[in-house]
Amino acid sequence: MDHNHVYPCHLLKQAVVYTQLLILGIAAVLSLFLFNSFREFTAIFSIDSSIVLIGVAIGALCVTADLLLIRFLPEKAFNDGGINQRLFSCLNPYEIFFITLLIAFSEELLFRGVLQTQVGIIPASIIFIAVHFRYLKNVYLLINVTILSFLLGYVYEYTESLWSVFVIHFIIDYILGIYIHYSNKEGV
């Protein structure tokens, strides 16, 4: 069965964008109830060059590890049902950039910025893992998303800034999205 006929690119792209906008909306509503003040909420956005550098370094390490594992593990270890492959194959690099930017920001705002700040690293990480439910059927992807979720949580705790984990999440999603895009174009 050709899944591109079942899920045309524009519908897949739309679903991702709408899902991320929903996550942003949930984060906004929860922040109204869970933070005592606007000042407390904006504190999660503290930034300096070391925070960005930490995000870039850890993001690059994660991508390097993933690319090495892709090279040495069987293809079925990365099978998420074909969603990532279908999505990133049909988008151009600019669309991949903007979609992964939206994904990284919305997910980190909700899971680290709002939930982890209010309920702690373990509940926030478990919810993050559960939201990535398509990975629950694949042991490797489940282990990967679990490690990544707790890593993001610990980096957030260490830096006390949403920007560090946003940068990590974006680098991972964008570079792997570009890798998937060009791998499918070239048959790699």
Side-chain angles (χ1 to χ4, degrees), residues 30-31 33-36 40 112-120:
L30 286 176
S31 67
F33 294 103
L34 297 176
F35 287 91
N36 294 323
E40 182 184 353
R112 257 47 77 181
V114 175
L115 292 177
Q116 183 172 325
T117 300
Q118 301 300 316
V119 300

Side-chain angles (χ1 to χ4, degrees), residues 26-150:
I26 291 168
V29 170
L30 286 176
S31 67
L32 291 173
F33 294 103
L34 297 176
F35 287 91
N36 294 323
S37 68
F38 185 70
R39 184 183 186 119
E40 182 184 353
F41 173 72
T42 59
I44 67 175
F45 294 98
S46 67
I47 188 165
D48 64 39
S49 59
S50 66
I51 287 170
V52 174
L53 186 59
I54 288 169
V56 169
I58 294 173
L61 285 172
C62 290
V63 167
T64 301
D66 271 342
L67 291 174
L68 286 171
L69 290 170
I70 287 169
R71 193 129 179 95
F72 294 109
L73 291 178
E75 190 175 318
K76 69 179 181 178
F78 303 93
N79 184 357
D80 72 338
I83 293 173
N84 284 340
Q85 183 176 0
R86 287 192 301 274
L87 177 66
F88 292 122
S89 295
C90 75
L91 299 176
N92 68 50
Y94 299 108
E95 291 173 314
I96 293 170
F97 178 86
F98 288 111
I99 281 191
T100 56
L101 199 68
L102 176 62
I103 291 168
F105 184 77
S106 61
E107 290 185 3
E108 293 313 318
L109 178 61
L110 177 60
F111 297 109
R112 257 47 77 181
V114 175
L115 292 177
Q116 183 172 325
T117 300
Q118 301 300 316
V119 300
I121 190 172
I122 293 173
S125 291
I126 290 170
I127 296 167
F128 180 84
I129 294 161
V131 165
H132 292 82
F133 61 89
R134 71 180 190 271
Y135 296 164
L136 301 179
K137 297 177 186 173
N138 180 314
V139 173
Y140 169 75
L141 292 176
L142 176 59
I143 291 168
N144 189 315
V145 76
T146 300
I147 291 170
L148 179 61
S149 184
F150 281 96

